[in-house]
Amino acid sequence: MSMKTLKYFLRKYEEKIIQVQAYGSPKDENGNFICMKLRTLPPKEVQKILDAYKRSSMAMDDNGRPYHSPTNEILHETKSDFGRGFDHLIAETLVEPDLKSKEVKDFYNCPDISEIPRLMFFDPKEYEYVSNAVMDIHNLGRKQKKDEDLAVEVKNSSSAGKETSSGQA
């Protein structure tokens, strides 16, 4: 890889603030649409938040004895509370409304920011709307399928002009 090409990939992460219209297109007293502001988080921070809700423990059988591998090592299992981890990610991503603010915590009488998204966005469709916005901004879940499609497109375009097994170019 040439140094000119490599320079494209060697870049620092830049946080972005993205404005998204609130669910249901509500308007303020002046008739302006109410928007939410979301910030992008570095991929390492996203992973750190989600990993904080994983727990590893010894894998046990029904009698409470640990499972062993063929080499007699004790096996472990990892349990993840992805829902709560993702709610924490929502709270960290949203700038407006600020789910970490004292006012919000006091209103919901809830010091744990991972519980606030489901309290604030109690309508399932609104919660889904906010979740999808967070997934899109962090390139999680919903966009992965599109990325896989893009990989297939790139693969297909790199073989363009080459003969396929069916004899077509």
Side-chain angles (χ1 to χ4, degrees), residues 7 64 82 98 106 108 112 130 134 149 156 159 165:
K7 284 182 182 179
F82 181 79
D98 181 4
D106 288 348
Y108 290 109
D112 184 354
V130 173
V134 171
D149 291 346
N156 289 342
S159 63
S165 59

Side-chain angles (χ1 to χ4, degrees), residues 146-157:
K146 291 180 183 176
D147 289 347
E148 289 167 7
D149 291 346
L150 179 61
V152 170
E153 262 182 47
V154 170
K155 182 180 174 187
N156 289 342
S157 68

Side-chain angles (χ1 to χ4, degrees), residues 6-8 15-16 22-25 30 37 45 54 70 89-90 99-100 102 118 124 130 146 152 156 158 167-168:
L6 184 59
K7 284 182 182 179
Y8 169 78
E15 181 180 282
K16 297 176 187 166
Y23 176 75
S25 305
N30 298 324
K37 289 185 182 176
E45 189 173 341
K54 290 182 180 176
L89 181 61
I90 290 172
L99 277 60
K100 299 182 294 182
K102 182 178 178 349
R118 292 186 191 265
V130 173
K146 291 180 183 176
V152 170
N156 289 342
S158 67
Q168 297 173 346

